[in-house]
Every structure is written in C-alpha cells, then in structure tokens.
C-alpha cells in the first residue's frame, strides 16, 4: 500500500489556484466573494489568488457587477481574452490547418493549406506541418500574443498517454511518435503539446460550444466526423470517452459489409469505404463536395442516391452504437454536416428500425454547431485545458519578471 503524507503549502496553493480559475471559467462575471462562496476558500485567499491570475493575464476584471438590491457590488471576473492562446493544428488527408484561439474561445488566426498528404512520407508531411505551425507562431509573436500550448489533431489511433500515433490508415502512418517529432521541429511554448484523434477533439469543441450556447443540457452525444475517413467522438455525461488506451470511436472501421471493398486498414467492408466522402463522390460521379452540393440542390438522381445510400449504411452502424451506449443524440460533423439535409431522413429511418429503445425515446440527429473547423478548434482548446487545470504550472514557466510580479 502506498503511503502519502499531508500536502505541503505549495501543493495546496497550486490546487487552490486551479480551483479559483475553474470557478471563474464556469461562472463568468462572478465576484471575489462569489468565488469564495463557490469554493469554500476564505475571501483573503481568493483575493490573493485572483490578483495573481489578473497579473498573469489569465483573468480580467470587468468593472462592478450589475445586480439589483442593496449591498456592495463586487468586481466582475472572467477569463482574459489577452492571456495565453492555444494553437491548434489539424493534419488531415487533404489539408493542414492552424487555428489560434484565446481563453474566451475567440478565434484570432486561422489558415488552411490545401495539400494532399495521402501516402506521402511521414517526414515530408511533418515538414509541412512544421512550416505551418512555425508560421502561425510567428504571426502570434508579431501580434503580441502568448501561445500557451499546441494541440494536434490527426485522423488515426492515438495513444492517450503519450501521443503515439499507432496507425492512421488514410495517411499511411504506423507507429509515429508525433509528440516527439513535433516537439523537435516546433518550439512548443511552455512545453505543452497535446496530440489527439481528430474526431475526439472535434467532440471536445462541440461540447464546449454547447456549454456556451443555448443547449447546455446536452452532455451525452456521439459526434460523427465525416471526411475521407469516418471517426466518432463519444461524450458521456460531459466527459470525452476515449477507451482504455485512447482508441475508442473508430466508427469508420465498423464492418457493415463483410465481403465489401478492401479498406485502407486492411479489412473489408468498413463503413468509411461505403459511406465516407470518397465513396459518396464516386457513387455520385462528381469530383468534389462543392459539386456534389450543387447536384443535390438540382435534385440530381445520382447524387441523391449516393447520399441516401450512405445515410442508410451510416444509420446501420450508428444503431449499434446507440444500442450499446444508450445515447439519444447523434451530431453530424465535417462533410456529413453539409449533407445533413439529405442524409438525415435515411439515417433516421435506419435508427428507428434498429434501435430497440426508439418506441420510448427517439434518437435525434443534428448538425454540428461548430462547423468544419471542429477538430482543429478542439485541438486548440485541449492545449488551453492544460493551463486551466494547472494555472500555477503555467505561471511558473512565465518569464521571471512577469512571474515574480504575480506574487
């Protein structure tokens, strides 16, 4: 049995600092007295920690609170838009995107580089990522923005513990130590680099958007990322479910046609070979998604048939997910979000016929509220999450003058 001693003063202060910051993040506009009430900390402790967070640009004071009734009004506190930003990088099959977002969720910079990464040597792709990431860091530096961490989204199996990409079939990657490779190529601010599956990170962005929007009650859903590959991010009770090793959500490799076409993963009849973007475009006899959307608007028979067929196959696969996890909301992202008006009817038909709980609770199919940038936005937010979890560690790595001025 492992014995642990009492927490020292530094550990307690570090914990309390995180507790205060998370409370301000959860209740924008809260006062120091409100933070004390929520956390149980003394007003003196809260005031000292808030002063430290304000000095290091993690929190800002926004003037006196607006409220009715007698009594002294406290100063409103919220996360600072001028503090550290998260840099998201998405390595997709046909593009590389960089995305800079601040603590309040505002986008400060976004660049998309259209490039075919499929089947390219890993070093060649990573050289492109290096250029794009370093260019984004340089733009941030010129604009006086502090980048507090980097998050990277990749379409493959990523070990949650170390960022090792075990396989990314559509890129042709196997056992790529992406964390080490990028840390060597890109000067990661404050040593924080997070690597994750693109569908998982897209689900993180979707959850964040829902929490800050009108639908705060939705805390369990399956986010389906429809691109050249198909992935799923599973959110249960407000937390991302990654599986034992971080490999959960590989919806695209559900076997839906055992004798179907060979997949990039080596198996036959995987969902993405029958309902992924390439499969839909081939069946519709078009070259790209924009043309497909035009044909759908024109009620082209081949385009409509291709999308409806994909919807039926997708519904078959998702019915198994819903039956297993008892989740009643499906969120369509990526290309599937664009195709939602034509996908939704055949998809719902399959879900209604195959999900055993539909007589009592129908499965809702909705379009992503985030849009095409969900994965890279989720990557940027995940980089910032390390600061929100442990702000004291971030503060300790600031330049000496700024860190000392925070107390």
């Amino acid at each position: 049995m492992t014995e642990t001693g009492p927490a020292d003063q530094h550990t307690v202060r570090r914990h309390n600092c995180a507790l205060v910051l998370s409370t301000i993040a959860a209740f924008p506009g809260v006062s120091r007295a409100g933070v004390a009430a929520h956390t149980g900390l003394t007003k003196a402790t809260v005031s000292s920690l808030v002063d430290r967070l304000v000095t290091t640009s993690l929190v800002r004071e926004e003037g006196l609170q607006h409220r009715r009734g007698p009594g002294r009004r406290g100063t409103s506190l919220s996360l600072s838009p001028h503090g550290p930003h998260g840099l998201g990088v998405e390595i997709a099959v046909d593009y590389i995107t960089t995305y800079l977002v601040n603590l309040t969720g505002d986008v400060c910079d976004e660049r998309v580089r259209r490039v075919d990464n499929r089947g390219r040597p890993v070093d060649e792709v990573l050289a492109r990522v290096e250029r794009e990431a370093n260019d984004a860091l340089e733009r941030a530096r010129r604009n006086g923005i502090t980048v507090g961490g980097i998050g990277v989204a990749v379409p493959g199996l990523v070990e949650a513990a170390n960022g090792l990409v075990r396989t990314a079939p559509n890129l042709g990657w196997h056992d790529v130590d992406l964390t080490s490779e990028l840390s060597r190529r890109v000067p990661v601010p404050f040593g924080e680099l997070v690597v994750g599956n693109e569908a998982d990170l897209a689900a993180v962005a979707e959850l964040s958007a829902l929490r800050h929007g009108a639908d705060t009650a939705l805390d369990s859903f399956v986010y389906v990322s429809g691109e050249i590959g198909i992935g799923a991010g599973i959110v249960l009770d407000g937390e991302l479910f990654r599986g034992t090793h971080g490999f959960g959500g590989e919806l695209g490799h559900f076997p839906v046609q055992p004798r179907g076409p060979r997949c990039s993963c080596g198996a036959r009849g995987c969902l993405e070979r029958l309902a992924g973007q390439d499969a839909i475009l081939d069946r519709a006899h078009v070259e790209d998604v924009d043309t497909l959307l035009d044909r759908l608007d024109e009620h082209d028979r081949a385009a409509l048939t291709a999308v409806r067929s994909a919807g039926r196959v997708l519904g078959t696969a998702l019915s198994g997910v819903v039956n297993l996890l008892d989740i009643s909301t499906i969120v369509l992202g990526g290309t599937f979000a664009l195709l939602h008006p034509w996908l939704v009817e055949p998809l719902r038909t399959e879900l209604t016929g195959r999900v055993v709980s539909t007589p009592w609770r129908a499965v809702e199919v909705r379009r992503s509220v985030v849009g095409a940038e969900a994965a890279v936005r989720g990557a940027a937010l995940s980089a910032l999450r390390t600061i929100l979890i442990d702000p004291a560690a971030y503060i300790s790595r600031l330049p000496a003058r700024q860190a000392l001025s925070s107390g």
Side-chain angles (χ1 to χ4, degrees), residues 24 62 84 94 111 115 125 164 203 211 213 248 256 299 321 333 348:
I24 295 170
E62 298 183 303
D94 51 354
R111 297 290 173 92
V115 60
V125 176
L164 180 64
R211 282 176 170 171
V256 291
H299 305 288
V321 176
R348 280 178 178 156

Side-chain angles (χ1 to χ4, degrees), residues 192-270:
E192 297 291 350
L193 190 147
V194 180
V195 178
N197 171 269
E198 53 89 20
D200 285 345
L201 293 176
V204 168
E206 191 75 19
L207 179 63
S208 176
L210 291 171
R211 282 176 170 171
H212 291 89
D215 202 350
T216 56
L218 182 60
D219 60 359
S220 294
F221 58 89
V222 176
Y223 179 95
V224 183
S225 172
E227 301 287 350
I228 291 174
I230 298 176
I234 302 169
V235 175
L236 300 174
D237 296 328
E239 297 291 335
L240 181 67
F241 174 77
R242 297 180 184 271
T244 303
H245 305 99
F247 298 161
E250 284 299 310
L251 181 67
H253 299 289
F254 267 37
V256 291
Q257 195 179 93
R259 296 186 180 181
R262 181 76 67 180
C263 180
S264 58
C265 73
R268 285 190 176 276
C270 291

